[in-house]
Each structure stands twice: as C-alpha cells, then as structure tokens.
C-alpha cells in the first residue's frame, strides 16, 4: 500500500503536465507560435521530463542500492510534489515573457528526476517483500499507481475544463497542480511507516553492497540491459501515443465536445487498467512473464489500426472502447508483468540501478514519440506517423522479450547470496 499510494501520487503529479500539455499549456507558455508549433513546444517540454528520468534513476538507484529503498522513496515523493506545486504558481508568458517557459522546463526536469527514482524503488519495495512465486502480483500493485495517477489527473482537468474558458486559462488550470501538495503530505506519512526491503537488508548485513552499483549492472552483461530497455520502450510508447499524442489528435476533432469525450474515455480506460493490473501480475506468475507481455504488445498494436477513426467518430462508446482495449487490457498486461520481468533479471545488490538504466532509457526514448509524430505530420491532421512509431517500438519490444532465456523468479536473486555464503564459509 505504501508503494502503491506513493506511486499514484507521483504519477498524478507527472501526468498533470501531459494532460495540460495537450489541452492548455501551449497558448499559455508558447503563445507566439502557430498552433502546430505551440503543440510541438508543449510536447518538447513534456519530453524534457522524461530526458531527466535516467539521471534521476541513476542518482536514486545508486543511493537506493547503497543506503536503502525506503529513504529514496520518501525523497522522490517530496521532490515530485514540490515541483508540481510550483508549476501551479508559475507566471505565464504574458506575465513573465521568455522566463515563463524556461521555468516550466526546469520544473519539468525536476519532476523527471524525482520520477526516475520513484518507479524502481516502488516496484522493488513490493517485489522484494513478495514470495518468489507471487512476485508478479506484488510488483504489479505499485504499477497500479500509474493508471490511478492518470485517472486522478484526467478527473481534475475534466472538472476544471467545465469552467468558462477565460477562467480556465487564467486561474483554473492552476488548481490541479496546487492540490498536489496535500497528496504529498499523505504519501510521505504513509511511506515513513514502511519497513525496508528484506532483500536489501540481507545484502547490507552480509556486506554485499557495491561501492558503485551501476558498474555491477554492466559487468553482468549488456544482454539483460538491452532486453529490459527495449521491453520498457514498448511499454512507454503505448502511454505516449494513446494518452498524449492521440489525446491531442482526437481533442481537435470535428465534433462538439470532442475533448471532453476523449477525456471520459481515457478516465474509464485508466480505471479499468488499475483494476486489471494485479490480474496481469498474477497471470505472469502462473503463465510466465513472456506470454503476458507479448499479449499486451499485440493488443495495443491491433487497437491502433482503428483508434484514430474511433476517437474521431464522436461516438462515446467507440472512444471508451478504444481506451478500454488499449489501456485497460493491452497496457495493463504489459505493465503488470514487466516489473517482475526486470526484477528477475538482476541481483539485489545493483537491482535499483539496473531498473533505472533499463526502464528509464526505454521511457525516455518513448517520450519523444508525440514530438516526432507531430513534427512529421506538420500541419496535416493525421495520426499515421504516431501509429507507425508505435508499431516499430512494439515490434522491437516483442523481439526483446521473445529473444533469450528469462530467468526463473529468484534464480538471479539467489546468486549473490550463494556467492556471499561461499566467501564467508557459511555455505
């Protein structure tokens, strides 16, 4: 619960910006642009948060492997919450000129640094507390923080979007960012009561900690790093295309109230994913990580064939069905299995750093999906570039998951323990 609640709050903070970038931030912070250039600028700032994530992952991964998972989780939550609150008090371009978008980018980078350390710590705290035969189930719960945070951010923007446009564009857009400070206090209180990961405690007590954990990641070999990064690329590209790029694409559709309908669909899809994520995690324990991951990639690829038409149809049922299939089923399958998939590949003495390198590299590359798709499309209103990017990334992810052997739960985890026992003569 501590990992899941904190994860939900951090994802709420992070995806407030993505929702706002698709709906309001362009004209507020980049007004002297054409509509296409404004969207490009806001998506570039969205990507800046992801660029900072590997840096945050390396920093917090290092200290998470050296000092412990718990303290890093409290610190990442404080960093994220502070940055999000400050976005809510930023001056706009009209008030501060070029200083406004500069400050927005800096706060977005700070968000990315915090989130870069959050994901690995959250899934490790749950996954390392789990019985080996239920690691997929346990590690899927903090993953539920993503759709819950996405749901929360979409809900508050759905509410403030009911305001008259002049009020929304002057003060209404600030309310969701300011409200995050209350959630941060709740999350910090919960996380302070969480006990440290037992696997990390064992590594610390047996003297197994590495001085520079990141070096241990690459000494283990490049194969697990590359496989993890490409698997994560597919996961993150699903989010970038469906919840950011297609959200913006469909919100400018021909039907009245199109943006509200798309947000409604995203809300329902996110809520369904939060419910089904633990199911996917449990299935990965019962059936294996590989079939669950490949199923999720396949569903998201197939749905993308009809997603642009369904989202522009103006039919609320088709819009909801798009997000139910893509996010509620496809992304849930991938996200529910990938945490345990990555945990199983690396030993606990450098696992936090390993997750930072693999997951955050994939997520960072995927963050440029909306930016690249809009740049390729130019002024033409088409979703084809984004769909092609999605297919390419999903194909690479599927190959990474299908290629090579997947370690059994606990197989890699047990290796350093056996080595330590042999070194100390206690085998």
């Amino acid at each position: 619960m501590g990992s899941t609640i904190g994860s939900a709050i951090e994802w709420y903070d992070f995806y407030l910006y993505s929702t706002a970038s698709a709906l309001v931030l362009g004209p507020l912070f980049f007004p002297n642009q054409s509509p296409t250039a404004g969207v490009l600028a806001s998506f570039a700032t969205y990507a800046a948060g992801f660029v900072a994530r590997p840096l945050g992952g390396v920093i917090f991964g290092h200290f998470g492997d050296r000092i412990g998972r718990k303290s890093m989780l409290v610190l990442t939550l404080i960093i994220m919450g502070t940055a999000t609150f400050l976005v809510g008090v930023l001056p706009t371009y009209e008030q501060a000129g070029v200083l406004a978008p500069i400050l927005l980018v800096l706060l977005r980078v700070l968000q990315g640094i915090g989130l870069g350390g959050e994901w690995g710590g959250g899934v490790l705290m749950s996954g390392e507390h789990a019985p080996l035969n239920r690691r997929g189930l346990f590690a899927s719960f903090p993953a539920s923080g993503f759709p819950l945070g996405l749901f929360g951010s979409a809900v508050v923007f759905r509410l403030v979007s009911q305001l008259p446009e002049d009020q929304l564009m002057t003060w209404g857009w600030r309310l969701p960012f300011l409200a995050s400070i209350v959630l941060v206090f709740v999350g910090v209180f919960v996380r302070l009561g969480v006990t440290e990961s037992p696997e990390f405690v064992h590594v610390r007590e047996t003297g197994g900690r590495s001085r520079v954990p990141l070096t241990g990641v690459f000494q283990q070999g490049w194969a697990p790093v590359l496989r993890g990064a490409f698997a994560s690329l597919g996961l993150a590209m699903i989010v970038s295309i469906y919840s950011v790029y297609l959200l913006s694409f469909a919100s400018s559709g021909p039907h009245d109230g199109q943006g509200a309908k798309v947000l409604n669909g995203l809300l329902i899809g996110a809520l369904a994913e939060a419910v089904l994520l633990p199911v996917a995690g449990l299935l990965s324990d019962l059936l294996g990580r590989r079939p669950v991951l490949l199923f999720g990639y396949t569903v998201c690829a197939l749905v993308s064939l009809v997603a642009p038409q369904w989202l522009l149809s103006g039919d609320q049922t088709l819009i909801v069905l798009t997000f139910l299939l893509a996010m509620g089923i496809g992304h849930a399958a991938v996200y529910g299995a990938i945490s345990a998939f990555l945990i199983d590949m690396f030993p606990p003495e450098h696992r936090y750093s390993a997750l930072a390198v693999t997951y955050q590299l994939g997520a960072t590359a995927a963050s440029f999906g909306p930016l690249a798709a809009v740049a390729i499309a130019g002024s033409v209103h088409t979703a084809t570039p984004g769909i092609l990017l999605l297919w390419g990334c999903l194909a690479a992810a599927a190959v990474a998951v299908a290629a090579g052997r997947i370690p059994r739960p606990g197989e890699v985890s047990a290796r350093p323990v056996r080595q330590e026992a042999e070194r100390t003569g206690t085998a």
Side-chain angles (χ1 to χ4, degrees), residues 122-154:
V123 299
L124 283 183
M125 283 293 283
S126 291
E128 292 181 347
H129 273 91
L132 290 181
N133 66 339
R134 287 294 177 265
R135 177 168 278 168
L137 174 63
F138 275 57
S140 69
F141 275 97
S144 297
F146 160 73
L148 290 174
L150 182 60
F151 177 84
S153 65

Side-chain angles (χ1 to χ4, degrees), residues 92-127:
T92 62
Y93 188 93
E94 183 180 357
Q95 297 165 326
V98 72
L99 180 63
I102 291 174
L103 292 175
L104 181 65
V105 171
L106 289 176
L107 290 176
R108 184 63 177 171
V109 168
L110 192 60
Q111 276 192 328
I113 290 174
L115 193 63
E118 157 64 26
W119 185 85
V123 299
L124 283 183
M125 283 293 283
S126 291

Side-chain angles (χ1 to χ4, degrees), residues 375-426:
I376 293 170
S379 59
V380 180
H381 191 252
T382 175
T384 300
I387 301 303
L388 292 177
L389 285 172
L390 176 65
W391 288 352
C393 291
L394 291 180
V399 170
V401 170
R405 179 175 171 274
I406 298 178
R408 295 187 302 274
E411 180 181 338
V412 176
S413 303
R415 187 179 305 148
V417 177
R418 290 196 299 269
Q419 291 173 345
E420 179 62 26
E422 292 166 0
R423 185 179 68 82
T424 59
T426 58

Side-chain angles (χ1 to χ4, degrees), residues 332-357:
V334 179
Y335 209 15
I338 201 167
S339 300
F341 171 78
L342 295 175
I343 290 173
D344 289 342
M345 287 199 295
F346 300 97
E349 66 264 26
H350 59 245
R351 186 178 283 153
Y352 205 144
S353 297
L355 265 62
V357 172

